[in-house]
Amino acid sequence: MKLKFAHIINPFNPGTSATEAKIQAITIECMRRAAKEYDPEQVTFVSAQFEEDLKFVPEGFIATENLPRSINEVSKIIGKKKLPILADIIQRLKNFEADYYIYSNTDISPYPNFYTAIAQLINQSGADALIVNRRRLPTSFIDKNIEEMVRENGLPHPGYDCFVFKKTILPKLDLKNVAVGIPGIGFMFAHNLFLKADLCKVLYNEKLTFHIGMEIIKEWSSKEEVNFQHQEIISFLNENRKQFDVSKFPGYHLPFFKRHYRWLMNPLFHYPTMFRIDMKKLFDGRKIVREEVGGLGSFSVYSRNFDETK
């Protein structure tokens, strides 16, 4: 029996930005194509939107109750954009029947094999959560047709912006008041899954999603909003410090200096936390995993890119 997915995004009014309008349209069309390749009856498209963005909910998407607040109300900071709270978006999924829920940013487009590959990876690995890193395509692709986009391999990107998780994980998530459109949502979502999932896999280098734009880091919002987001993340880390298990984190099976270098150099990890929880479990008899070849059937390449083999 095929897995059923409910996939939520946050469509918005692109205003006068022709680029944002094109990117959002590309994402929607790619989602439809990927669902068609998998099974349209097993993929539900869900929208979480502000009231003023209702008319931008794409055809075929189920519009949920309008989002009640933005970062402005929560932080008391007057920002340039009305940015939604991530937890408000994710909670909109709770009334949808599905085996797994998916959240991705509106500028993240799935390749045609996305849902098919995700279902096979879940069935073969037993993971109850997956984090998918995107591929980066040059900005020139924004004016090309989708067939050309999906043929392009692009380059990898270290950020987290697409999350797949079992339905039972939803009520366990503690996303605080982090907002979409401010750096840090990938960190918060990923650490929730590392904490709450039994087995969370990170797909670093697969051709499953893409983003048009080659940037690694992009300035999105004001310094005040970034500081607010940072404090929300630190609060989450402090509250859950004793519950973190280093064996659930990417890189755990690497040799000591290699894993610590990886955690230290990647902004998606809070190194003081990683150091603390690793020291707590230093003498646990862990096995150093070498790079593997094969192991997942037609998706054997994934065995080389799952987090524990990096």
Side-chain angles (χ1 to χ4, degrees), residues 7-204:
H7 189 164
I8 194 167
I9 63 171
N10 169 229
F12 61 92
N13 180 359
T16 59
S17 174
T19 297
E20 288 188 349
K22 286 181 180 180
I23 289 175
Q24 194 164 211
I26 291 166
T27 296
I28 302 306
E29 179 58 24
C30 286
M31 289 175 67
R32 290 173 176 152
R33 293 185 181 206
K36 184 178 180 181
E37 180 167 309
Y38 177 62
D39 184 344
E41 297 299 318
Q42 299 302 315
V43 182
T44 301
F45 293 144
V46 185
S47 167
Q49 70 293 314
F50 290 119
E51 182 177 5
E52 59 267 31
D53 294 326
L54 260 175
K55 63 182 180 180
F56 293 94
V57 175
E59 183 179 353
F61 281 65
I62 300 174
T64 57
E65 183 180 0
N66 293 328
L67 297 170
R69 57 185 181 158
S70 72
I71 187 65
N72 298 334
E73 290 80 30
V74 171
S75 68
K76 309 303 180 184
I77 297 170
I78 306 301
K80 295 180 180 179
K81 291 186 176 181
K82 186 177 180 180
L83 302 174
I85 303 301
L86 178 62
D88 293 345
I89 294 174
I90 302 305
Q91 286 303 314
R92 294 295 183 274
L93 286 165
K94 65 183 179 182
N95 295 323
F96 289 89
E97 286 300 320
D99 299 301
Y100 281 77
Y101 293 141
I102 302 173
Y103 167 78
S104 58
N105 295 341
T106 53
D107 59 351
I108 302 301
S109 299
Y111 282 96
N113 66 326
F114 177 76
Y115 300 109
T116 303
I118 291 297
Q120 186 164 351
L121 285 165
I122 289 171
N123 287 329
Q124 294 178 347
S125 70
D128 54 348
L130 298 174
I131 300 171
V132 183
N133 286 42
R134 69 181 185 246
R135 310 294 295 179
R136 293 176 289 142
L137 272 58
T139 53
S140 60
F141 272 79
I142 197 168
D143 293 318
K144 297 183 184 242
N145 59 50
I146 290 178
E147 286 72 21
E148 292 178 278
M149 295 176 194
V150 300
R151 284 197 297 267
E152 181 69 20
N153 286 326
L155 295 176
H157 186 280
Y160 298 155
D161 42 38
C162 178
F163 306 89
V164 183
F165 55 99
K166 204 169 187 176
K167 180 179 181 178
T168 53
I169 295 176
L170 178 61
K172 303 176 185 178
L173 297 177
D174 177 17
L175 299 168
K176 297 299 181 187
N177 287 317
V178 299
V180 174
I182 303 174
I185 65 165
F187 182 104
M188 181 65 98
F189 213 142
H191 280 67
N192 263 266
L193 295 182
F194 296 146
L195 179 65
K196 303 297 184 181
D198 292 327
L199 181 60
C200 178
K201 297 286 190 179
V202 180
L203 306 180
Y204 287 100

